[in-house]
Structure formats: C-alpha cells, structure tokens
Amino acid sequence: MLKKIALVFSLFLFTSLSHADENISSRKIVDIGCHAYNGICYVQLDGPAFGSTLNCSSPASSTNQFRFDNADSVNGKRAFAALYAAFLTKKEIDVYLSGCTSQGAPKLGYYHIH
C-alpha cells in the first residue's frame, strides 16, 4: 500500500513540475480578436509577460496573450462577449491559464472580471 501511495505522489509531482498552471491577476485587456476561419480567439493583456511555466510550443516562451479554441461554442461565445465587454469598459480581469491551445499558446481556463 505504501508503494502505491509513493507511486501516485511521484506521478502527481512529475505532472506538476512538467505543467504548471498560471494565475494572472488584475490586468486590462489591450487587444482582443478572433480568427475568421476557425474557433480561436486571442486576448492580449497589459503588464509583464506570462506563460513561461506552461511549456507551450508557441515561438515565444512568455507572452502577454492567451487564447481559447472554442470561441464558436456556447461557452466560447459567452467568454468572448464577457471579455470584449471588459475591454470596452476598461475593467480589470483575472485569468487562470491551464495548458496550451491547439496553436501552442497559453490556454484560458477561466476568468473573472472586476
């Protein structure tokens, strides 16, 4: 039993080290848009670069932009509308980035507008 617990802990630790999610707090959106040919949208934030711990394959190891692949879904449309409203009203947002999109950019996990 102890060996199983040690194995599970080791796998959890290895996974955590190879893929660390990021929280980005109190930023303003400086650019937002979507690709016309697929369901991918991007959001560029002010402030320091982020994303270096996500190990994404995009050319820059850190960036001020995150993306989401599902902009053509109900949830994606809702996210774009809320983030666009935050952009227009100059509200600050917090985002949680989890992994990478199909294009290799930091991927939106969830957001909060304040």
Side-chain angles (χ1 to χ4, degrees):
M1 180 68 175
L2 188 56
K3 286 183 180 182
K4 286 182 182 179
I5 292 172
L7 178 63
V8 170
F9 179 73
S10 297
L11 289 173
F12 175 74
L13 182 62
F14 177 73
T15 303
S16 297
L17 291 174
S18 64
H19 172 76
D21 297 341
E22 289 188 35
N23 285 306
I24 312 302
S25 298
S26 300
R27 302 280 191 100
K28 289 192 177 184
I29 298 171
V30 297
D31 193 18
I32 185 169
C34 295
H35 295 264
Y37 56 88
N38 59 25
I40 297 172
C41 288
Y42 63 90
V43 178
Q44 186 171 347
L45 304 178
D46 68 352
F50 52 82
S52 61
T53 64
L54 297 171
N55 297 320
C56 295
S57 63
S58 64
S61 62
S62 61
T63 181
N64 279 45
Q65 189 180 100
F66 65 85
R67 295 178 181 232
F68 51 103
D69 289 337
N70 63 342
D72 51 359
S73 71
V74 172
N75 289 338
K77 289 175 184 177
R78 185 178 299 138
F80 181 79
L83 292 167
Y84 188 61
F87 171 66
L88 292 175
T89 59
K90 301 185 183 327
K91 298 259 186 184
E92 289 187 340
I93 66 169
D94 302 328
V95 293
Y96 176 79
L97 303 173
S98 180
C100 309
T101 65
S102 61
Q103 291 185 322
K107 180 172 70 173
L108 175 65
Y110 60 83
Y111 60 92
H112 173 255
I113 300 168
H114 51 97

